[in-house]
Amino acid sequence: MLAAAHEVVLLAHVNPDADALGSALALGLALHRRGATVHVSFGAPERPAESLRDLDVAGLVVPAAAVPVAPELLVVLDTGSVDRLGSLASRVDAAATTLVVDHHVSNGGFGSASYVEPEAEATAVIVLGLLDALGAPVDLPIARCLYAGLVTDTRNFRAASPATHDMAARLLVAGVDAEAVTRPLLDTHPFSWLGMLSAVLATATLEPDAARGLGFVWACARSEHIAGGRQEEVESIIDVLRTTAEAEVAMVLKQVGPWRWTASLRAKGGLDVAAAAVAMGGGGHRSASGFTVEATTPDASDVVADVRRALAAAPLL
């Protein structure tokens, strides 16, 4: 499908991270060089996160409104379900062919064809295999996109297999400057981030007996806490909260509407948080998942109670 396509739209999930956008750009750049007309996009926000914009060296990213309604080939990357495409979800049925490339264990398969590898640490791992199958050279621009996906989804290679370390080495040989790619993604925040982080962490609650006795820590990032903050800063809160020694599971609830909240769930390897996320209407990986839900109480205490019950039923690993 990829080799024969003349017009390709590659979509990442809403609020794309480095793996979603990096995978889309790496594959898109290879197809663009083969002569295909290529558009890369996502349902929201209007532009990629600031730390990811340098990956688009060929100007392939277009606003959601500019995405063709019925492309010849639609490739959906790093997206566990259709609803994660946001305003672009309708393109799945409208496209002549839809190919799903993903590594979320909760992906039930959608579109015309799906290539889902739950054991892959990142969608970038799968895309590198596709590039090799296409005979596409993995030069520096493509390697940077793939490395960004690997370094973020493996938590700076702490959760990477030997084979994935080999892939990283291959990308470094292609010319990737690991420090230059990694620093803006993981180690750079504006001064205002410190105040936001302080306000959100002040809401943190530890429940040592929750999550089947393994411990649960959670915090609420209310709209007034995160107003004006970059996507990168808001999404990084969970990485601080998850360091809590007494908790297997960490969750950050982020208020995105008067009653609407999105949640990031993380586990250290003892509990399957993907199962809990699915119970809440979301999905993801066993150690990193999320969901979006409408609360019925102003403080989202009903959401926390539902998550607490979902964690109590989640499988041990």
Side-chain angles (χ1 to χ4, degrees):
M1 285 185 282
L2 293 170
H6 299 287
E7 180 195 28
V8 186
V9 170
L10 301 105
L11 296 183
H13 56 71
V14 293
N15 298 311
D17 56 11
D19 189 32
L21 189 61
S23 295
L25 285 170
L27 185 55
L29 188 55
L31 296 175
H32 172 69
R33 291 172 177 171
R34 292 174 64 93
T37 299
V38 173
H39 300 292
V40 174
S41 194
F42 41 87
E46 292 186 3
R47 300 186 65 193
E50 186 177 335
S51 60
L52 300 176
R53 292 173 192 170
D54 287 346
L55 298 178
D56 184 19
V57 297
L60 300 180
V61 174
V62 300
V67 173
V69 173
E72 173 194 349
L73 174 63
L74 178 70
V75 184
V76 179
L77 297 109
D78 199 46
T79 302
S81 57
V82 175
D83 62 290
R84 290 283 287 147
L85 292 175
S87 63
L88 293 174
S90 61
R91 302 303 197 274
V92 171
D93 290 331
T97 304
T98 297
L99 169 64
V100 177
V101 180
D102 188 26
H103 72 131
H104 289 86
V105 68
S106 59
N107 193 315
F110 59 93
S112 309
S114 59
Y115 182 13
V116 180
E117 289 189 9
E119 299 306 315
E121 296 96 331
T123 297
V125 170
I126 307 172
V127 168
L128 181 55
L130 289 173
L131 294 177
D132 287 342
L134 285 168
V138 179
D139 60 4
L140 180 55
I142 288 178
R144 289 181 68 246
C145 293
L146 296 174
Y147 193 87
L150 290 185
V151 73
T152 51
D153 262 34
T154 62
R155 292 187 293 121
N156 213 357
F157 298 104
R158 286 179 290 177
S161 67
T164 302
H165 278 282
D166 287 341
M167 290 181 186
R170 175 182 171 187
L171 301 177
L172 293 174
V173 170
V176 170
D177 182 334
E179 175 67 13
V181 173
T182 304
R183 181 175 290 278
L185 295 173
L186 301 178
D187 299 327
T188 302
H189 300 287
F191 180 74
S192 59
W193 176 73
L194 298 176
M196 180 188 70
L197 183 64
S198 176
V200 175
L201 293 183
T203 72
T205 300
L206 176 65
E207 301 182 12
D209 297 326
R212 304 191 64 171
L214 298 177
F216 175 41
V217 62
W218 56 273
C220 282
R222 303 190 66 86
S223 56
E224 61 265 26
H225 296 149
I226 59 181
R230 299 188 310 169
Q231 175 191 338
E232 297 96 314
E233 274 61 70
V234 177
E235 297 303 323
S236 69
I237 298 170
I238 188 66
D239 294 319
V240 178
L241 197 67
R242 73 188 301 174
T243 63
T244 304
E246 299 89 343
E248 161 68 22
V249 178
M251 177 180 73
V252 175
L253 283 174
K254 295 154 285 187
Q255 189 176 22
V256 294
W259 298 91
R260 192 170 181 81
W261 299 77
T262 64
S264 295
L265 283 167
R266 299 292 185 270
K268 296 176 180 176
L271 193 72
D272 182 357
V273 292
V278 168
M280 295 295 298
H285 317 293
R286 293 183 178 92
S287 60
S289 298
F291 61 87
T292 300
V293 69
E294 295 284 339
T296 59
T297 58
D299 60 356
S301 58
D302 60 314
V303 177
V304 176
D306 289 342
V307 172
R308 195 180 292 119
R309 285 189 287 270
L311 292 174
L316 296 171
L317 297 176

